[in-house]
Amino acid sequence: MYGEGILKGMAVTLKHLFKKPVTVQYPEERAPMFPRFRGYEFVWYEDRCTGCASCAKYCPLGTIRIETETEPDPNVGDRYGLKVFDIDTGRCMFCGLCVEACPYDALFMGTGFERATYTRPSMVVHIDELRAAKKKPSAYARPHLHGINFEDETSLSSEEAGR
Amino acid sequence: MPVDRLATGCQPLGFWDGMGLWEQWGINFFPRLGDTMCRAMGGATPGGIPDWLIFAILGLAGAFAVVNVAMLGVPYVILLERKLLGRFQHRVGPNRVGFFGLLQPMADGIKLMTKEDITPRVADKLVFSLAPLVFVVPVLLMFAPLPWAPHAVLADLDVGILYIVAVTSAAEIGVFMGGWSSNNKFSLFGAMRVVALVVSYEIPLVLAIVGVVMLTGSLNLAAIVEGQRFVPNLLWQPLGFIVFMIAVSAELNRAPFDLLEADSELVSGFHTEYSGMKWGVIQIGEYAAIIGFSGIIATLFLSGWKGPAPMPGYLWFVLKMGMIISGFIWVRATIPRLRVDQIMNLGWKFLLPLALINIFVTAGEILAYPDGLPVWLIPVNFAFAAIVVAVAARLLGIQGQPRQVVPAPPVFETMASS
Amino acid sequence: MTLKTEPITVNIGPQHPSTHGVFRLRVAFDGEVIQDVEPVFGYLHRGSEKLAEERTYTQVVTLTDRLDYVAPMTSNQAYVLAVERLMGIEAPERGQYIRVMMAELMRIASHLMMIGFFLQDMGAFGTPLMYTFREREDILDLFEMVCGARITVTYMRVGGVQADLPPEFTPALERFLAKIPGQIDDLEQLLSGNEILIARTKNVGLLSAEAAINGSVTGPALRASGVDWDLRKSDPYEIYDQLEFDVPIGENGDNYDRFVLRLEEMRQSVRIVRQCKEQMPGGPHRLELPMLLRPPAGDAYGRVEAPKGELGFYLVSDGSIAPYRCAIRSPSFINLTVLRDMLIGWKLADMVTIFGSLDVNMGEVDR
């Protein structure tokens, strides 16, 4: 019969009228992030970082800026002291190549995604911020972190984060 | 006694009387509200306010009330549309402003009023500013003869339905003015389309009404409601109802006939250049037209203020209007838009013959049973309507024109001329 | 007095609701009928091919995400296949299976998006779009699970994929596979029988097989015209020759065929994903390669059947760490060559549906 197709379509929309909406009411409800989510709040362990700048080299956009100085302590030996470690998250595309490239597992992707700011300069994450930030590393390129659950106040030390 | 004369003959008084009554169920909350108001103003006392002033005041108050019901209804119809569309689309719809998003219309209104009102430099400024008014005023005039409850008619015109048809087609002049004066090609397309659309769909719209008018024998809307004694006209006039609903969708520029706004083709058609409250007035006009036309559908086909349970007449009326509006929204959520030539085909080759067939069949039925139609005609009518629609659709359908041969040489000479 | 008429020239785009990005059409109308069309593009040009010459082979993968941002996985796949050919290596079997699985999931997502926007262009107010986006969300969730991002996946690597499937992936995929056929049916029921849709699409925007072949059209647009050409069958890459699936073919090459064919392709993709899941072998997902690749000097062309057609990467290596030249054969761009001939003679309303039925992605057109 003519009009049957229209009626069938109307039945489909009517069926959806009585279904529960799929919308997630964001600020109150949150969709779960998966462990490998490549997010903001890069996790950086200074004690592991040698200042080799592999991450900076592998970044396709050159968003990581590293300046080093000779380590004043002669006992440490195989590493540089870090003066500057800036990640320009305004240009970062979160491809995760820096994390993959890091030979000492010092850099991890973060799990956060709420870091809206008003100015571009404030999107540059400086070394002090990286030191002070809560460390909630993502499991991206670090499969051993799979399954870790982060509470609000968790902050993993470099031993807990593992290799 | 002047008051008695007023109470029987004066429409403003009748309107206020009707709003206070549950007359049909014998319950009387505000007996003769109009009379009471008249007396309170000193209408009956010699040397008080003159009668004509009382008429004028009560009439204006009635008009004010009805227009405001329409205007207040608009934001909530928009909200209902957004909520329902949301649910049809498996999402929530607006729910952040106020409880369940009930304050959303307020927020929208404030936003529209504070928005910059842009008039394009090349627009025809007078016509551009006038168009929203020309669009909205006829729509508001449409509410005058709507019967909200027994006697609650602002203007109990004997030619009520004719008046409505005449007035509403004037609104499209506003659309054309807006589209033309914007000096925008998309607007012009929208304006041209609306002229074609309205010319085509007014005719089946009017012809579909004729069946109802023949059944009742009156053009008066209140008389049409009274004439639907036991069953609504829908049961006697299924074919007319189908034609009328389709024609009304086109008249209201609702999906699937929204091609004068056609957001995916014409950006937003005739109101592409409008912003701020001018745009807001156009929206009010569109949605007020939806309210008004659903009121007319309720009156003509669904027995207006009458209902099977004891409720005030205007509640029944508003309930039926709400159902019809929800139906429009449901259609909008499902059906894609027709093309221009297909719409013309549908109007002239499908609806017009159907409306004529409906008139002939109704006339025959009335001739055969002048003392009232027998009940067994209801299923016959429905079967007949289904058969006619199926046959007409198979024969005519909505096939559009095929691809047109363009013999002309290319207009753009170079591909790099930009 | 004689009256003169002349066509009205309308500039559609670059900002227009249905040009799917920043695409511009200069159209000459006679009334509603299209007299001539001039497509203008380049508004989204980002110089991906030139940028690729400045990046190492691994870094270029991030650029390919941004070509066809509706189907990044297949762009990744085409690129890594080209590099693998250049180096003369092949990914381990598990890696290939994962890649094919991801590419097919991507095809479903891309077709879902095309169907949603196609029907939206036709004026079905948002409903099909919302339904298709709801289902696409599940696929993007799967991607986030395996690689941490939803759109800019950067998942495939030369010699395999970046990471193995996580443990929660298989149950989630099973849930998705159980759900998606019903949802495709829903979508079909919603509109494909609709009389208005049939009137709008049947015999509209005809593309003959000859014209399609002459215009180098590939992908669903070509198959809808009745040409049996699918790289997954015609030139099987990776493990497609071990999988069972059909290539749906259209008859007339009209809008309706292009629409229905995509629905059918989604069903076939579900079949492929299911087979991949069942046959998934063990072993490594990735070859042990250094991050800095130095392929031998030479050139190679890697191509895949992307959701929009044949996507190819032509790479020239001079033996250094970055490609000497990277040329991209993007299906969207080449499918646009037939647009002018398809549009002339139709009406304004058909313009958006024909354009939508070709499923063009501006990120890929302008590169």
Side-chain angles (χ1 to χ4, degrees):
Chain A
M1 195 195 133
Y2 205 83
E4 199 183 344
I6 292 176
L7 294 180
K8 266 189 195 165
M10 304 271 279
V12 173
T13 39
L14 190 66
K15 196 171 76 190
H16 280 87
L17 180 63
F18 302 107
K19 281 187 184 171
K20 198 174 167 298
V22 288
T23 316
V24 178
Q25 297 289 335
Y26 161 58
E28 293 93 31
E29 296 171 39
R30 277 146 188 279
M33 308 313 295
F34 294 103
R36 281 185 194 171
F37 176 64
R38 307 199 293 252
Y40 257 126
E41 283 115 22
F42 284 89
V43 175
W44 177 62
Y45 291 113
E46 196 182 8
D47 52 336
R48 287 186 186 173
C49 182
T50 61
C52 71
S54 286
C55 45
K57 264 178 245 157
Y58 281 102
C59 178
L61 300 174
T63 52
I64 302 177
R65 192 165 143 255
I66 293 178
E67 279 177 31
T68 52
E69 57 189 3
T70 29
E71 176 65 46
D73 183 2
N75 297 326
V76 176
D78 59 345
R79 51 173 285 184
Y80 293 104
L82 278 140
K83 252 193 334 196
V84 177
F85 194 106
D86 288 357
I87 304 177
D88 185 353
T89 52
R91 284 166 62 207
C92 178
M93 57 185 178
F94 299 93
C95 62
L97 285 182
C98 49
V99 177
E100 244 175 283
C102 184
Y104 302 101
D105 284 13
L107 193 63
F108 294 71
M109 295 305 287
T111 46
F113 53 89
E114 293 157 315
R115 226 168 152 272
T117 57
Y118 285 101
T119 54
R120 278 184 175 273
S122 62
M123 296 183 93
V124 180
V125 184
H126 294 287
I127 187 165
D128 298 328
E129 273 177 74
L130 279 172
R131 278 184 189 129
K134 287 241 162 60
K135 310 229 186 287
K136 294 177 186 172
S138 145
Y140 179 77
R142 308 274 185 266
H144 61 270
L145 277 179
H146 208 279
I148 286 188
N149 221 351
F150 294 114
E151 303 296 323
D152 271 352
E153 292 305 312
T154 340
S155 181
L156 295 189
S157 67
S158 63
E159 287 77 34
E160 286 167 323
R163 297 230 177 206
Chain B
M1 289 295 286
V3 171
D4 289 344
R5 182 170 55 79
L6 300 182
T8 51
C10 175
Q11 278 165 21
L13 296 193
F15 175 77
W16 290 111
D17 277 350
M19 292 311 282
L21 291 181
W22 294 21
E23 190 175 69
Q24 53 188 331
W25 303 103
I27 310 166
N28 219 338
F29 266 180
F30 305 108
R32 319 197 83 172
L33 184 64
D35 267 8
T36 317
M37 288 166 82
C38 183
R39 280 212 184 77
M41 277 191 265
T45 52
I49 306 174
D51 287 354
W52 62 269
L53 194 56
I54 292 174
F55 298 159
I57 290 170
L58 287 184
L60 282 177
F64 184 78
V66 167
V67 167
N68 272 295
V69 164
M71 298 286 254
L72 279 177
V74 166
Y76 285 93
V77 169
I78 295 177
L79 183 67
L80 175 77
E81 168 152 42
R82 289 177 62 183
K83 288 290 251 190
L84 268 183
L85 271 181
R87 295 306 303 266
F88 278 128
Q89 293 170 2
H90 216 182
R91 58 192 172 84
V92 188
N95 68 340
R96 312 296 302 189
V97 192
F99 192 60
F100 282 125
L102 281 177
L103 292 179
Q104 183 73 38
M106 307 292 164
D108 288 347
I110 290 166
K111 186 204 86 175
L112 280 178
M113 280 182 216
T114 51
K115 237 179 137 174
E116 188 188 356
D117 185 17
I118 300 167
T119 309
R121 195 158 44 83
V122 289
D124 187 334
K125 296 201 175 44
L126 178 70
V127 181
F128 186 79
S129 311
L130 214 54
L133 283 181
V134 178
F135 182 57
V136 81
V137 167
V139 172
L140 293 180
L141 287 179
M142 183 167 77
F143 287 89
L146 274 190
W148 295 82
H151 302 306
V153 192
L154 206 55
D156 198 8
L157 298 176
D158 280 342
V159 290
I161 188 70
L162 193 64
Y163 163 86
I164 282 174
V165 168
V167 154
T168 49
S169 46
E172 313 302 338
I173 297 172
V175 177
F176 189 75
M177 281 164 69
W180 179 266
S181 63
S182 301
N183 214 338
N184 176 322
K185 286 165 181 168
F186 289 123
S187 306
L188 186 63
F189 268 109
M192 289 307 201
R193 283 176 173 190
V194 78
V195 173
L197 188 71
V198 168
V199 168
S200 313
Y201 278 78
E202 282 285 301
I203 299 165
L205 183 90
V206 177
L207 291 180
I209 294 172
V210 171
V212 175
V213 172
M214 282 195 299
L215 276 180
T216 316
S218 171
L219 288 168
N220 186 315
L221 285 172
I224 288 175
V225 177
E226 291 291 355
Q228 304 175 43
R229 276 193 202 86
F230 305 107
V231 287
N233 272 342
L234 168 65
L235 299 183
W236 305 115
Q237 290 277 319
L239 193 55
F241 181 72
I242 293 167
V243 173
F244 193 72
M245 284 299 277
I246 296 175
V248 163
S249 309
E251 183 81 11
L252 293 173
N253 315 317
R254 299 281 303 173
F257 305 98
D258 55 345
L259 80 172
L260 76 163
E261 280 164 32
D263 56 319
S264 62
E265 300 155 23
L266 297 181
V267 191
S268 57
F270 73 100
H271 58 65
T272 308
E273 295 288 352
Y274 282 92
S275 60
M277 206 51 211
K278 278 186 195 139
W279 185 85
V281 169
I282 291 176
Q283 279 314 94
I284 288 173
E286 279 184 8
Y287 282 88
I290 293 170
I291 299 176
F293 264 110
S294 53
I296 292 166
I297 294 167
T299 308
L300 291 182
F301 290 101
L302 299 176
S303 68
W305 68 72
K306 291 182 183 174
M311 257 205 314
Y314 45 86
L315 285 189
W316 270 117
F317 192 62
V318 169
L319 189 72
K320 284 170 184 173
M321 276 160 77
M323 279 168 57
I324 295 162
I325 292 171
S326 309
F328 279 133
I329 296 168
W330 185 17
V331 168
R332 185 180 180 203
T334 316
I335 294 182
R337 186 184 306 126
L338 283 160
R339 209 168 57 194
V340 180
D341 50 325
Q342 290 164 347
I343 286 184
M344 293 300 131
N345 268 7
L346 186 70
W348 290 102
K349 294 186 185 166
F350 181 77
L351 290 186
L352 187 61
L354 249 57
L356 288 174
I357 290 173
N358 182 46
I359 290 177
F360 280 113
V361 170
T362 314
E365 285 173 2
I366 292 171
L367 267 183
Y369 303 97
D371 305 326
L373 305 179
V375 180
W376 58 263
L377 261 182
I378 292 173
V380 172
N381 271 343
F382 270 88
F384 179 72
I387 292 167
V388 168
V389 169
V391 169
R394 180 121 321 167
L395 290 180
L396 308 161
I398 45 175
Q399 265 72 48
Q401 292 165 355
R403 182 180 193 162
Q404 297 195 358
V405 182
V406 179
V411 181
F412 303 114
E413 290 296 325
T414 58
M415 288 295 278
S417 60
S418 66
Chain C
M1 195 178 102
T2 53
L3 289 172
K4 183 168 78 87
T5 61
E6 60 181 41
I8 173 175
T9 310
V10 182
N11 207 353
I12 292 170
Q15 267 84 41
H16 186 277
S18 55
T19 51
H20 301 214
V22 280
F23 181 58
R24 180 173 155 217
L25 281 162
R26 296 176 69 203
V27 190
F29 286 107
D30 174 19
E32 291 256 345
V33 182
I34 297 169
Q35 299 285 304
D36 197 11
V37 177
E38 183 191 26
V40 185
F41 30 75
Y43 291 91
L44 201 59
H45 181 69
R46 293 148 301 172
S48 299
E49 293 182 1
K50 190 70 193 168
L51 284 172
E53 295 170 19
E54 316 258 314
R55 305 267 184 288
T56 66
Y57 282 94
T58 312
Q59 286 173 351
V60 175
V61 178
T62 60
L63 293 175
T64 63
D65 286 340
R66 286 149 180 86
L67 289 178
D68 181 357
Y69 42 75
V70 175
M73 281 287 187
T74 41
S75 307
N76 280 353
Q77 195 190 14
Y79 171 73
V80 297
L81 275 177
V83 181
E84 282 171 10
R85 269 189 207 163
L86 199 57
M87 298 176 70
I89 53 172
E90 217 172 59
E93 208 179 12
R94 185 176 171 85
Q96 292 193 12
Y97 266 97
I98 296 176
R99 277 191 203 168
V100 167
M101 193 152 117
M102 291 301 147
E104 292 304 323
L105 284 172
M106 199 75 250
R107 190 184 313 277
I108 299 173
S110 171
H111 283 354
L112 278 173
M113 203 146 153
M114 175 268 164
I115 286 166
F117 277 113
F118 176 66
L119 298 174
Q120 168 87 359
D121 286 350
M122 209 169 286
F125 187 81
T127 312
L129 191 67
M130 292 293 160
Y131 292 176
T132 53
F133 265 64
R134 178 191 66 202
E135 280 119 48
R136 178 171 174 264
E137 202 70 3
D138 295 336
I139 298 173
L140 296 188
D141 274 352
L142 290 175
F143 288 165
E144 191 188 320
M145 225 177 262
V146 291
C147 66
R150 301 158 67 80
I151 309 282
T152 54
V153 287
T154 324
Y155 181 52
M156 301 192 186
R157 294 285 190 274
V158 178
V161 289
Q162 185 266 328
D164 206 350
L165 301 175
E168 74 264 26
F169 180 80
T170 317
L173 182 70
E174 264 159 19
R175 251 178 311 185
F176 170 73
L177 286 178
K179 200 165 62 168
I180 187 76
Q183 285 175 332
I184 296 174
D185 289 346
D186 242 20
L187 208 58
E188 187 167 23
Q189 203 196 351
L190 175 68
L191 277 176
S192 58
N194 190 310
E195 283 77 6
I196 295 177
L197 181 123
I198 289 172
R200 282 294 301 276
T201 53
K202 275 253 166 156
N203 295 319
V204 172
L206 288 170
L207 176 67
S208 68
E210 256 171 80
I213 291 171
N214 286 343
S216 297
V217 173
T218 46
L222 176 73
R223 290 194 286 277
S225 298
V227 183
D228 188 358
W229 178 260
D230 186 323
L231 289 180
R232 293 174 292 172
K233 286 269 190 211
S234 321
D235 177 17
Y237 51 95
E238 306 214 290
I239 43 130
Y240 275 113
D241 45 0
Q242 300 166 32
L243 299 172
E244 254 180 58
F245 62 98
D246 302 324
V247 179
I249 306 288
E251 283 168 14
N252 305 319
D254 53 12
N255 276 354
Y256 187 76
D257 280 0
R258 284 191 281 274
F259 163 65
V260 172
L261 185 123
R262 284 187 169 93
L263 280 175
E264 189 53 41
E265 271 198 8
M266 278 173 7
R267 295 206 176 95
Q268 297 301 330
S269 290
V270 172
R271 250 176 92 187
I272 296 177
V273 173
R274 201 166 270 148
Q275 287 175 45
C276 284
K277 180 179 74 78
E278 277 153 16
Q279 301 172 14
M280 183 69 71
H285 60 278
R286 183 178 182 178
L287 292 179
E288 287 294 332
L289 291 172
M291 272 200 86
L292 272 183
L293 300 167
R294 288 177 197 275
D299 60 342
Y301 180 64
R303 59 179 182 178
V304 297
E305 181 72 29
K308 282 150 183 100
E310 175 185 336
L311 173 65
F313 278 78
Y314 178 64
L315 293 174
V316 183
S317 160
D318 57 358
S320 69
I321 56 171
Y324 177 76
R325 174 82 173 92
C326 166
I328 304 165
R329 184 221 188 269
S330 69
S332 302
F333 177 65
I334 291 167
N335 286 0
L336 271 183
T337 50
V338 289
L339 183 68
R340 182 169 173 273
D341 292 336
M342 283 167 83
L343 286 183
I344 289 179
W346 292 110
K347 296 199 169 49
L348 170 60
D350 295 325
M351 186 192 79
V352 289
T353 55
I354 293 172
F355 181 69
S357 77
L358 278 181
D359 191 14
V360 168
N361 183 292
M362 294 321 286
E364 210 178 33
V365 172
D366 295 336
R367 302 199 283 286

